């Protein structure tokens, strides 16, 4: 049975309302940044496991969940990275760790590079490595647009199954309930930036301990990418979850935590 978060709350940081869910409440602080269409609550099942050892804060990235949204906001990578820096400062954290998934991993990297020394360590879970002149991100934009458009009108778990056929009923229900909170222009901007923002320079400039977690069946990060990343920054620890697609903890929950190991508490 899910225990749920300790509480949800909002903080005004970087000029917007940032909503978050707090799990655990004890141990070192970990900020968890979800991916492109994952409101904070959809990461609850993984946050609860992390909360056995850490004080976990899962954020709603701007334009998603209960954080600020609308046509007047900047949904670029730099703005989202500054959100994380300001969020950490507003809550008085002292060098928290960050776990970021997909888009959230790109945000984590840009935040760490932009505010050197602000974060103790990073876990980058299958970040898109597409960019100018690079291999495109394997997911296609219509997959996001179509599912969000249906969610805005109202969709149930059975309807969502067409988009996420391997997910459990509980996961499908949660996505069907919350996907409508993903502001479509924010999603389109983030997807376009997967191809317009080259993050390999960020890999090179990371100074803190960093883990890159690769989905074995995701097709997002390939061997050639791992080689380039290692060449740019040999200190990055690369781990793999062989039987998982891009949504690693959804596909292989135990494999996700096996790959993570004790990295956050070393």
């Amino acid at each position: 049975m899910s225990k749920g978060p300790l509480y949800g709350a909002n903080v005004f940081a970087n000029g917007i309302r940032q909503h978050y869910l707090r799990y655990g409440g004890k141990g070192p602080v970990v900020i968890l940044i979800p991916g492109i269409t994952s409101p904070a609550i959809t990461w609850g099942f993984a946050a609860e496991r992390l909360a056995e050892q850490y004080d976990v804060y899962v954020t709603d990235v701007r334009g998603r969940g209960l954080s600020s949204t609308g046509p007047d906001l900047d949904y670029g990578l730099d703005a989202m990275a500054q959100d994380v820096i300001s969020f950490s400062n507003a809550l008085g954290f002292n060098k928290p760790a960050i776990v970021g998934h997909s888009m959230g991993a790109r945000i984590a990297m840009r935040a760490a590079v932009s505010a050197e020394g602000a974060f103790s360590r990073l876990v980058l879970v299958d970040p898109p490595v597409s960019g100018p002149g690079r291999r495109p991100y394997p997911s296609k934009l219509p997959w996001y647009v179509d599912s969000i458009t249906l969610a805005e009108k109202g969709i149930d778990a059975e309807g969502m199954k067409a988009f996420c056929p391997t997910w459990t009923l509980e996961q499908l229900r949660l996505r069907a309930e919350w996907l409508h909170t993903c502001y479509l222009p924010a999603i389109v901007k983030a997807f376009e930036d997967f191809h317009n923002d080259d993050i390999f320079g960020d890999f090179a400039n990371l100074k803190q301990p960093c883990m890159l977690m690769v989905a074995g069946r995701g097709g997002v990060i390939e061997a050639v990418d791992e080689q380039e990343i290692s060449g740019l920054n040999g200190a990055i620890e690369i781990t793999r979850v062989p039987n998982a697609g891009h949504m690693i903890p959804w596909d292989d929950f135990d494999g996700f935590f096996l790959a993570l190991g004790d990295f956050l508490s070393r």
Side-chain angles (χ1 to χ4, degrees), residues 53-228:
Q53 292 180 266
Y54 308 105
D55 189 5
V56 183
Y57 292 74
V58 191
T59 62
D60 273 330
V61 178
R62 60 170 61 199
R64 298 148 180 91
L66 301 181
S67 289
S68 289
T69 191
D72 298 328
L73 294 185
D74 178 358
Y75 295 104
L77 180 58
D78 289 333
M80 295 188 292
Q82 186 58 53
D83 285 346
V84 179
I85 297 166
S86 299
F87 175 83
S88 180
N89 290 339
L91 293 179
F93 297 151
N94 180 26
K95 295 187 176 181
I98 306 180
V99 176
H101 172 244
S102 191
M103 180 193 74
R106 291 168 66 98
I107 294 171
M109 292 174 63
R110 186 61 55 86
V113 170
S114 301
E116 187 174 337
F119 305 102
S120 61
R121 53 187 54 226
L122 306 178
V123 178
L124 308 174
V125 183
D126 219 40
V129 292
S130 43
R134 295 185 180 275
R135 185 180 68 255
Y137 185 58
S139 294
K140 305 302 180 185
L141 184 58
W143 185 89
Y144 299 100
V145 173
D146 294 348
S147 60
I148 292 171
T149 300
L150 289 171
E152 288 173 342
K153 297 175 182 177
I155 190 172
D156 60 11
E158 187 61 32
M160 195 57 68
K161 193 172 184 179
F163 298 92
C164 308
T166 64
W167 289 23
T168 67
L169 179 60
E170 182 179 8
Q171 291 165 350
L172 291 167
R173 283 174 172 167
L174 203 56
R175 188 165 179 83
E177 179 184 1
W178 282 90
L179 186 60
H180 76 92
T181 69
C182 294
Y183 182 54
L184 189 54
I187 307 311
V188 172
K189 171 63 174 171
F191 184 88
E192 290 175 344
D193 281 355
F194 287 172
H195 304 88
N196 296 330
D197 253 318
D198 194 321
I199 62 167
F200 278 81
D202 293 338
F203 281 116
N205 290 315
L206 293 173
K207 301 294 192 294
Q208 57 278 95
C210 178
M211 170 184 285
L212 176 66
M213 187 183 298
V214 178
R217 295 191 290 105
V220 174
I221 300 174
E222 297 184 354
V224 64
D225 306 311
E226 293 182 34
Q227 292 169 6
E228 183 174 357

Side-chain angles (χ1 to χ4, degrees), residues 240-255:
R240 298 171 188 81
V241 185
N243 296 317
H246 181 58
M247 304 297 286
I248 295 179
W250 280 257
D251 293 340
D252 188 350
F253 183 79
D254 291 333

